[in-house]
Structure formats: C-alpha cells, structure tokens
Amino acid sequence: IPTTTTALTRSADVASMTGTNFSSWYNQSAGTFLTVYSLARPNSGGNQFTARASDNSYNNAVAMNTIGTGFSSIATAAGGVFDGNCSTSPALTANVTAKVAGCYAANDLAISLNGAAVDTDTSATIPATLTRLDIGSDHAGVNRIQSGHIQRITYYPRRLPNSTLQALTS
C-alpha cells in the first residue's frame, strides 16, 4: 500500500458472490469443487475455508475447507445440523500447493487430495436454499485462509465420478 509518513494496515481480502452472480451457475442438488491452494499454517487449530456456499448463515452450507488439524475437507450443514463430512489423508504440508476435489449430492460426499484415494461419506443432507459463495472465508468474514494462497477454484454443476476426482487432482 503506498503511504506517506504513516504506516497503514491493509484489511483482509473479502470475495463473495451473491444474487444471480451465484444462482446462475450453482447447482443446489449436486456439484464438484476443484481447489488449488497452499497454506502457511494448515494445522492452525481452526477451519480455513477455501470455498463455501451458504445461505449467509452457519445453518445451511456446503464447504471446502482445511480443518484445524490440517486435513482438507468437504462438509455440509442443513437446518443447523452438521451431518456430512469427509476429509483427505494425509494432512496438508505448509507452503506446499495442494489440489483438492470435493463433490456433494444427497448422502454422497467425496474428496481427493493430489490424486490420492477418494474418501467418502454417505450421511450428507444437502441444503436447497444456498444464496452465496464466499472464497477464502465464511459468510461472516471469519474462519479465513491464514497466510495462504488460493490459486484456483473450479466448479462443475454435477457430482463427478470418484475416478475423475483423482484424475483432476493428480
């Protein structure tokens, strides 16, 4: 930030899509996110959201994130119940780029990291009223990517096969 004689602090970047900028491409019932990113502190003790679709609350969401122990995850919440979650193995390595693909459909979550075997969860309820996508944080601007870089987010409006998740991330 250009300054004169006083040091300034830059606010964190905030990126979100709402309205038709979101609803024109997002499939409420099934989809796949491909994320390419790196984190300086993957095991930060808290969630770091890469891409999170929600209804502007914590009650209804589909989220690609890194959980506090450093594992990439796709998780769902519907009606205030957090019922779907699957995560990758191994945990992310600090400052190393990760390719993670996660998909969602009713009772069908799957995720793959860097071409590894797909982890699945068959207990996910997919919320049907999501209205926004937040990149790098949640809807409230917390649970941010901490000292990391999101290089790419790609969205497919359908649940891709597990073999494709592995191929996209290898």
Side-chain angles (χ1 to χ4, degrees):
I1 300 174
T3 63
T4 55
T5 58
T6 307
L8 298 176
T9 302
R10 179 177 175 223
S11 298
D13 292 331
V14 176
S16 62
M17 289 182 186
T18 59
T20 57
N21 289 331
F22 173 74
S23 63
S24 65
W25 57 266
Y26 186 78
N27 182 353
Q28 298 282 353
S29 61
T32 302
F33 285 98
L34 170 64
T35 58
V36 180
Y37 66 103
S38 63
L39 301 175
R41 295 182 12 190
N43 53 349
S44 66
N47 288 329
Q48 297 182 66
F49 289 104
T50 311
R52 183 175 183 273
S54 77
D55 65 349
N56 203 36
S57 79
Y58 292 110
N59 294 327
N60 297 291
V62 173
M64 293 288 294
N65 67 311
T66 299
I67 59 177
T69 52
F71 295 91
S72 290
S73 169
I74 184 166
T76 60
V81 177
F82 298 88
D83 65 350
N85 186 13
C86 59
S87 58
T88 62
S89 185
L92 299 181
T93 302
N95 300 311
V96 174
T97 300
K99 286 184 178 179
V100 182
C103 57
Y104 64 92
N107 297 317
D108 185 12
L109 296 181
I111 192 166
S112 178
L113 164 70
N114 296 334
V118 173
D119 185 50
T120 61
D121 181 357
T122 58
S123 63
T125 303
I126 307 303
T129 57
L130 304 185
T131 58
R132 66 182 292 137
L133 178 75
D134 291 287
I135 299 170
S137 71
D138 61 16
H139 70 284
V142 295
N143 296 309
R144 297 183 180 279
I145 294 292
Q146 299 174 15
S147 301
H149 304 291
I150 299 172
Q151 296 174 3
R152 184 174 78 201
I153 297 173
T154 305
Y155 179 77
Y156 302 87
R158 63 188 182 284
R159 200 280 193 209
L160 296 177
N162 290 354
S163 58
T164 303
L165 298 182
Q166 286 183 279
L168 286 172
T169 60
S170 13

